[in-house]
Amino acid sequence: MFILIGGAFAVGALTYDLGTLLQMGPGYVPLLVGLLLAALGAGIVVKAFVAPDRLPATDGTTDHGPPLQFGRIRWRPTLFIFGALFFFAFTFEGLGLFLTVFGTSVLASYARTGTTLRQAVLPALGLSVGSWVIFVLALQQRLPLVGEWLGG
């Protein structure tokens, strides 16, 4: 998939002016990203064929151990991370920057088993304030601090 998507981006980028390294055209970055993505895919394919398919023996002999097996899917982190992504995507305009970043961070924190309320809330507060400082104050982005749902 990486090779196909990266190749498609690289081919699509060739329809734009590439420019030079010092004066990049609109196709320069998509071409590089596409090539890097395709190279990453090629690396994954090579690693799949080169990596051992058995665990090393633990008794010091040259015999091979049991075959490698894929682990079962860890549903808690999967659901919380996807939930955090969907929360951010669907609530940014409605809740605004502060509450969306806060909620996303809290949801993502609970992907780890044993997370306490304090361990979830404190980084969320820091990320909310940090997002405001970076995007609104430093980069002058016009982001809604309070969303439409809250009268912003």
Side-chain angles (χ1 to χ4, degrees):
M1 290 299 296
F2 286 167
I3 295 171
L4 289 175
I5 293 171
F9 265 89
V11 169
L14 293 175
T15 63
Y16 297 104
D17 179 34
L18 296 179
T20 65
L21 184 59
L22 296 177
Q23 293 182 336
M24 296 179 195
Y28 196 88
V29 172
L31 176 67
L32 288 181
V33 171
L35 292 175
L36 286 172
L37 189 60
L40 176 65
I44 291 171
V45 169
V46 168
K47 175 72 172 148
F49 286 106
V50 173
D53 59 350
R54 291 191 169 276
L55 293 169
T58 56
D59 59 2
T61 65
T62 57
D63 295 334
H64 294 290
L68 289 174
Q69 295 179 3
F70 289 108
R72 63 181 185 87
I73 295 175
R74 297 178 54 207
W75 287 107
R76 180 184 176 98
T78 303
L79 293 175
F80 272 104
I81 295 300
F82 276 113
L85 290 171
F86 285 120
F87 178 82
F88 186 88
F90 292 118
T91 63
F92 186 79
E93 289 182 9
L95 292 178
L97 178 70
F98 283 122
L99 290 177
T100 303
V101 171
F102 182 83
T104 302
S105 177
V106 168
L107 280 171
S109 296
Y110 282 108
R112 182 175 154 249
T113 306
T115 300
T116 64
L117 183 62
R118 183 177 182 206
Q119 290 172 329
V121 169
L122 290 179
L125 286 172
L127 285 171
S128 297
V129 171
S131 297
W132 173 68
V133 168
I134 291 169
F135 293 108
V136 176
L137 294 182
L139 296 175
Q140 300 290 313
Q141 296 293 309
R142 299 192 65 179
L143 299 174
L145 300 179
V146 177
E148 298 169 0
W149 297 344
L150 303 173

